[in-house]
Each structure stands twice: as structure tokens, then as C-alpha cells.
Amino acid sequence: MSTYGGIDLGGTKIQAAVLVEEHSVLGSARRPTPTSGGPADVAAEMATALEDAAKAAELKTSELEGVGVGSPGTIEGGNVTSARNLPDWEGSFPLASTLEAAFDCEVAIGNDVQVATDAEFKLGAGRLYSSLLGVFWGTGVGGGLILDGKPWTGRGAAGEIGHVVVEIDGARCTCGRIGCMEAYAGRASMEAYVRRLHEEKGRKTDLFKLMKEHEHTRLTSGIWARALERGDKLAIQTLDRAVTALGAGIASVVNVLDVEGVIIGGGLGIRLGHPFAQRIAEEMQPHLFADSRPPHVHVAALGDLGGAIGASLLLEGDAAPPSAPS
Ligand SMILES: [Zn+2]
């Protein structure tokens, strides 16, 4: 039986998994993404995470057929450039060859959001469709596309749904532009928004108290969910605002592409789950041009491991990995 590794390199965590054919997970491990140092330090943590996952599967990394990596940033021939949210990673870093040396097996690199969308298409909530939009609602809002049964990456930058404009002259986005969906729905933007209202306008909220109680330095998806459970008014209002923006942004993309299914994943998407996917679908409805047949909206079925599972698929089948090193 062939075994594969998959690594999902995120801004807050590195998730690794070892899978056997038919995609069952034999072992998995998770480590926090380094917040200081540089690409070499991040690569070292990725290596440790996969070695831990292999150990849990009672395997050595050299026994794997190969390892797939889902990475942010621009990916060219095994090199990763300008990976946002990762420490000091503006320039080009040879991630594939660095990891190949560590694992003693082949390494292929793909876009993090696209591999997670591919996984949902092949194995998860998108199995029944030939066209699909994956929306990954977390620190930012990423998007992946399957059109006519195939991934669509455009000229390399397709799927940036977080930067669809939902309000002319609107809020400033982390990308520096104005009125992007992510400026309302991205967790980083939501945190900045509530911090401003809390500290400058004196609005009451338990969000930051919960953050300290749980020893976090950021408002994680879990903190947002807990504040909701407590009926925290500012948290409810901020999430309402995010859902409104997601509804407008996703519906606008659906109006152009007319996909059959929309998958909501990402840290917040998975944590808030079905009730929020339902609410996003409701918020989409008034913006849909073909409103008599809206797309089906689902929560990502593969959960937190979806990115790592999708990365492992880069090595499989007759499709050449998009960025396999020569
Ligand atoms: Zn933006």
C-alpha cells in the first residue's frame, strides 16, 4: 500500500497528516506556525510536524511515496515567494528542495486554498458537483474554484474572493484597498473592528476577557464562538456584519460563474458550522440573479484536516503535480 504525506501551512498552525491509499488518515500532528525567524525556521517546524505524523502512523518519512504541501504565497517550481502571514517570507525560498532533503522523498507544492478545495471536490462536501466555489473563512477569506471538473487558478491568482468589493468607499482591507469582503469578514479585520469600538468608543464586550482567560493573543475562532454562546452583543453584531458581507461577496461570484455548490471552510467556517452556512445562504439570496435556483451551500466535510489531505492529493494519480520540482 502506498502512503503519502500532506502538510497544510497556515498563518497560525501547521497541520500534517500521513495517509494511505483511499485517503484514510493513519496519523496526524499539529504545530504552531513560528511567528519569528524566517522561512528556514518555518520549514523546520513543517518537517517536525510531518515526522510526528509519520511516527503516529509508525512510518519513516523516507517510506512515503511523497509529501504534498499546501502553502500560501506565490508558488513557482517548488519555490515559495511572498507568503503573507509568515515571518520574513517576502523573498523566494526553495521549500520543496529543503523538505525533500529533510524527508528523503518527493515533495510537491500547491496553493493552500486550492488544494483544500480540490480535497472537498474529490472526497468531501463537493463530491456531487462538477463546479464548485470553496470559501475559506479564517484570518482572511480565501477562495478556490473547480470549473467543469478541473481546478481553475487563472494566471495564478484566481479565487481571491476576499477582495471582491462589497462596499464602495467602505472599510479599509488588510490588503490596503477599500471595501473588500475581507475587510468585514476576515478574522483579523473583525478583531481590529471590535478593538476600536471597545477601546475608543467604550463598547462593552467579553471578547478580550475570554481571549486572556484562554491565554490567546488573538481572537481565535473558538473565542468568537464562546462569545456568541454568551450572547455578547458586540460579537453578535460583528458576526452579523461579516455574514452580510459574505452573502454579498459570494453571491456576486456565483452570478458570474453559476457554480453548483459553495463550500464554507476555514477556521471560522468550520467552528461556526452549519447554522452559519445556512445564514450565509440566506444573505446570498437577495443578491442572486438566478434566484430561483441558488447553489447548494455546505460546510467543508473534511474539517481541519482538509488542507493536509488535499495537499497529499498533489502526489496522486496521473495528473502532474502543479509545482513538482524537477
Ligand atoms: Zn482586500
Side-chain angles (χ1 to χ4, degrees), residues 7 46-47 50-51 61-62 67 98-105 107:
I7 306 175
M46 293 171 74
L50 189 75
E51 278 153 15
T61 59
S62 58
V67 175
T98 304
L99 292 176
E100 280 183 341
F103 299 148
D104 195 20
C105 69
V107 174

Side-chain angles (χ1 to χ4, degrees), residues 160-179:
E160 288 291 355
I161 193 169
H163 308 284
V164 165
V165 175
V166 294
E167 194 164 338
I168 303 292
D169 299 329
R172 183 169 291 277
C173 182
T174 47
C175 76
R177 295 170 187 84
I178 301 287

Side-chain angles (χ1 to χ4, degrees), residues 7-257:
I7 306 175
D8 181 24
L9 173 56
T12 47
K13 65 177 198 290
I14 295 163
Q15 179 75 60
V18 167
L19 299 97
V20 71
E21 275 174 296
E22 304 304 324
H23 323 292
S24 52
V25 177
L26 297 177
S28 66
R30 171 193 280 202
R31 296 184 76 84
T33 307
T35 52
S36 58
D41 302 284
V42 175
E45 283 301 301
M46 293 171 74
T48 308
L50 189 75
E51 278 153 15
D52 289 348
K55 229 174 270 169
E58 299 181 353
L59 285 166
K60 293 196 188 78
T61 59
S62 58
E63 293 175 272
L64 301 172
E65 288 297 305
V67 175
V69 174
S71 171
T74 308
I75 297 142
E76 272 171 318
N79 297 325
V80 176
T81 314
S82 46
R84 285 178 298 160
N85 303 329
L86 297 178
D88 198 24
W89 201 322
E90 268 313 303
S92 179
F93 181 78
L95 185 61
S97 57
T98 304
L99 292 176
E100 280 183 341
F103 299 148
D104 195 20
C105 69
E106 185 191 347
V107 174
I109 306 195
N111 173 272
D112 52 353
V113 175
Q114 190 61 46
V115 301
T117 303
D118 294 346
E120 289 294 329
F121 171 63
K122 288 182 182 148
L123 309 169
R127 282 191 318 279
L128 300 175
Y129 309 124
S130 65
S131 60
L132 195 64
L133 169 67
V135 180
F136 296 86
W137 182 22
T139 312
V141 186
L145 283 166
I146 303 282
L147 298 178
D148 201 14
K150 292 188 285 286
W152 175 261
T153 55
R155 292 175 295 161
E160 288 291 355
I161 193 169
H163 308 284
V164 165
V165 175
V166 294
E167 194 164 338
I168 303 292
D169 299 329
R172 183 169 291 277
C173 182
T174 47
C175 76
R177 295 170 187 84
I178 301 287
C180 301
M181 182 167 93
E182 186 169 307
Y184 300 88
R187 205 173 44 209
S189 297
M190 284 164 53
E191 177 168 340
Y193 175 73
V194 291
R195 198 176 279 283
R196 206 165 50 241
L197 288 179
H198 179 60
E199 289 173 3
E200 291 171 22
K201 313 264 180 201
R203 285 284 306 272
K204 287 205 173 66
T205 177
D206 283 344
L207 279 162
F208 297 105
K209 208 165 78 188
L210 283 164
M211 181 182 89
K212 284 191 194 106
E213 276 170 25
H214 290 85
E215 294 174 5
H216 289 305
T217 53
R218 285 183 265 199
L219 296 179
T220 61
S221 302
I223 299 298
W224 282 102
R226 284 193 183 86
L228 271 190
E229 282 157 21
R230 285 191 181 189
D232 187 284
K233 285 208 180 70
L234 186 57
I236 291 170
Q237 181 212 319
T238 307
L239 277 162
D240 285 350
R241 183 171 172 264
V243 168
T244 303
L246 287 163
I250 296 170
S252 300
V253 172
V254 170
N255 286 344
V256 176
L257 299 175

